[in-house]
Amino acid sequence: MLSGKHIVVGISGGIAAYKIPQLIRLLTKAGAEVRVCATHNALEFVGEVTLRTLSNAPVYSEVFAPENNRATEHISLHDWADLTIVAPATANIIGKMANGIADDALSTMLLAMNKPIVVAPSMNTNMFLHPAVVRNIDTIGLWDNVTVMGSPEGLLACGDTGAGRMAEPEDICLIADKLLEPQTLRGKRVLLTAGPTKEAIDPVRFISNHSSGKMAYALAHELEKRGAEVTIISGEVASEVRRRANDCTIIDVTSAEQMYAATTERFSQADIAILCAAVADYRPETAADRKIKRSGEELTLRLVENPDIAARLGQLKQAGQLLVGFALETDNAEQNAQDKLKKKNLDAIVLNSLADKGAGFNTDTNKVTILLANGEAMHYPLKDKTEVARDIAEVVTRLSDKLTSLPL
Ligand code: PMT
């Protein structure tokens, strides 16, 4: 939802200011327009020319700068802005915010700002833990339009290790993105399966597939942004993928049987279930309890069928619950997906085919067709998985609106 939005980036004088050019790049890459308002101290840490070039606009740092058309130009940023980010937010600027002090361009702009503000504190651990700073952060955290981000522990620029690090630019972007999204799924509980399953052969080997979880976690982020309460039943995925679902509940599983148990157990409490995991259809009949050694002979693995989570949820589904599956195909794609839609009693199925370059497993892009139980079919071009997730979330929102507007 950053696309087309107006974001003011307020920079105060902390060493983490060196990360702000990256934040501006991420925001503009996502389609946002950025204006920068910086303190004099901030400009000691990061160059005005860099900020001006990346934001493609003048940097507001003077109340009475000759290039400001009017002396109140920096204040009128509240008319222009959809959201403001204060990063890094030093103890000083947080103190000014909390106490209504306006003595430079940034603090004056912030005092006039009545739109959402994201504050990313950044300071030395002792400062961060000082009672005055704790009180000031608590004060602004109570305001309706302010979201204060956590300050993770880690190595600080001053050489200390502890709390007070600025949140990473990617995480600041995720929060901004979320705050700008209309809450169309508020109150909906979503159960989402994600990633691959692993079926043990012995303690060191397993059968699995290439699912990275990128599609499912992009979807989790998109649904959560719209106000849904998302629980992910997740196979193993990389930490940078997992990070996209900061505010979701994640239940870790390994095998298809574990995923089946965790999903069926929670389904009755869900309004919506979306099955994006690549679940192994078969598992070794027995897993050896010791590493299988070479014997110089052929080894035959006997496989047995795993339970089908989607089909079971299709049987358990009650009126008012929405069940969405995925279909990963290589051939005869649409017909196979239609068959799965019917057989598993789904309300919709998201088809992706490995025959399409850039679609399916472990890519950042996907090309999907969404088929509805009423026969409707929506074809989409190849897109980034974050955009595909948005398309799927739109359809899910529409279907769930229909279900809840049905007479009881
Ligand atoms: O994770 P990525 O790298 O981003 O890749 C995304 C993806 C390709 C994994 C994803 O887009 C996708 O297609 N997921 C479903 C993969 C799959 O297993 O499709 P299927 O056609 O075999 O299964 C049909 C449906 O039944 C799916 O919703 C699947 O989750 C479900 N299923 C399958 C088997 C099983 N035992 N239980 C199930 O619930």
Side-chain angles (χ1 to χ4, degrees):
M1 245 307 162
L2 287 167
S3 179
K5 296 293 179 192
H6 292 172
I7 312 283
V8 176
V9 175
I11 315 174
S12 59
I15 179 65
Y18 82 91
K19 292 186 177 175
I20 301 310
Q22 192 200 346
L23 174 65
I24 297 171
R25 285 281 292 144
L26 290 171
L27 292 167
T28 52
K29 232 177 116 189
E33 252 189 81
V34 173
R35 295 281 183 277
V36 175
C37 187
T39 63
H40 291 168
N41 287 344
L43 297 179
E44 297 287 332
F45 289 105
V46 58
E48 191 267 346
V49 176
T50 308
L51 299 169
R52 176 161 33 99
T53 307
L54 290 176
S55 64
N56 198 23
V59 173
Y60 297 95
S61 58
E62 303 293 343
V63 179
F64 300 109
E67 65 270 21
N68 290 3
N69 293 332
R70 294 175 287 128
T72 55
E73 192 164 311
H74 56 292
I75 300 176
S76 61
L77 279 174
H78 76 261
D79 286 334
W80 179 85
D82 294 306
L83 179 134
T84 296
I85 296 168
V86 188
T90 57
N92 190 41
I93 195 70
I94 292 171
K96 288 183 189 179
M97 285 178 77
N99 293 285
I101 295 169
D103 63 355
D104 61 7
L106 179 58
S107 53
T108 309
M109 183 274 289
L110 286 171
L111 197 56
M113 187 55 69
N114 52 2
K115 308 279 181 56
I117 303 176
V118 177
V119 175
S122 171
M123 65 199 79
N124 162 274
T125 307
N126 289 345
M127 293 168 82
F128 188 66
L129 299 178
H130 192 285
V133 175
V134 171
R135 183 196 58 214
N136 289 337
I137 289 180
D138 286 351
T139 299
I140 63 171
L142 288 175
W143 298 346
D144 282 349
N145 67 328
V146 171
T147 303
V148 182
M149 296 193 70
S151 296
E153 291 204 5
L155 183 63
L156 304 171
C158 58
D160 287 356
T161 301
R165 271 169 68 93
M166 190 181 81
E168 292 302 324
E170 290 80 3
D171 294 330
I172 298 174
C173 265
L174 288 179
I175 294 279
D177 194 19
K178 182 177 166 188
L179 287 170
L180 289 167
E181 190 69 46
Q183 299 292 285
T184 45
L185 286 173
R186 187 190 294 279
K188 298 285 181 203
R189 291 158 303 176
V190 179
L191 196 57
L192 174 68
T193 65
T197 65
K198 286 182 174 177
E199 312 300 322
I201 296 170
D202 67 15
V204 291
R205 306 179 181 94
F206 53 81
I207 297 173
S208 190
N209 57 65
H210 299 291
S211 173
S212 60
K214 285 180 182 175
M215 187 68 255
Y217 275 76
L219 190 51
H221 174 62
E222 200 55 45
L223 297 165
E224 201 262 332
K225 240 168 65 180
R226 290 160 193 250
E229 216 180 278
V230 182
T231 300
I232 309 174
I233 312 292
S234 182
E236 261 174 54
V237 301
S239 55
E240 64 270 17
V241 172
R242 220 177 145 89
R243 181 177 174 180
R244 288 199 62 82
N246 273 342
D247 291 332
C248 301
T249 303
I250 303 179
I251 315 279
D252 293 303
V253 295
T254 304
S255 66
E257 284 185 303
Q258 289 169 358
M259 187 174 274
Y260 177 86
T263 310
T264 49
E265 186 189 323
R266 289 167 180 82
F267 182 54
S268 64
Q269 288 111 57
D271 301 295
I272 301 166
I274 306 178
L275 306 171
C276 188
V279 187
D281 282 317
Y282 289 89
R283 67 178 186 278
E285 186 174 35
T286 51
D289 52 8
R290 291 181 187 193
K291 185 179 174 189
I292 299 172
K293 299 281 188 301
R294 291 171 74 95
S295 67
E297 290 182 13
E298 271 184 10
L299 175 72
T300 303
L301 269 184
R302 194 178 152 76
L303 303 180
V304 293
E305 226 177 0
N306 268 327
D308 187 325
I309 305 165
R312 181 63 185 143
L313 299 196
Q315 292 166 351
L316 295 173
K317 187 170 67 168
Q318 300 287 317
Q321 281 186 306
L322 185 69
L323 184 58
V324 178
F326 272 69
L328 179 63
E329 303 297 338
T330 53
D331 55 282
N332 202 17
E334 205 152 323
Q335 188 53 54
N336 288 341
Q338 285 286 7
D339 292 347
K340 285 177 186 171
L341 177 74
K342 287 204 183 73
K343 207 167 135 202
K344 301 188 190 215
N345 190 25
L346 307 173
D347 298 293
I349 195 158
V350 182
L351 161 66
N352 42 190
S353 168
L354 293 182
D356 292 319
K357 201 163 177 290
F361 282 136
N362 209 6
T363 51
D364 288 328
T365 51
N366 206 358
K367 182 172 187 287
V368 303
T369 296
I370 305 181
L371 306 172
L372 304 189
N374 68 6
E376 211 180 315
M378 285 152 278
H379 300 271
Y380 300 86
L382 186 76
K383 296 180 180 188
D384 196 275
K385 278 184 178 163
T386 54
E387 292 169 46
V388 176
R390 206 168 299 145
D391 293 333
I392 298 169
E394 286 293 333
V395 174
V396 166
T397 306
R398 180 155 68 85
L399 292 176
S400 112
D401 280 350
K402 261 196 199 153
L403 279 183
T404 40
S405 60
L406 282 177
L408 290 173

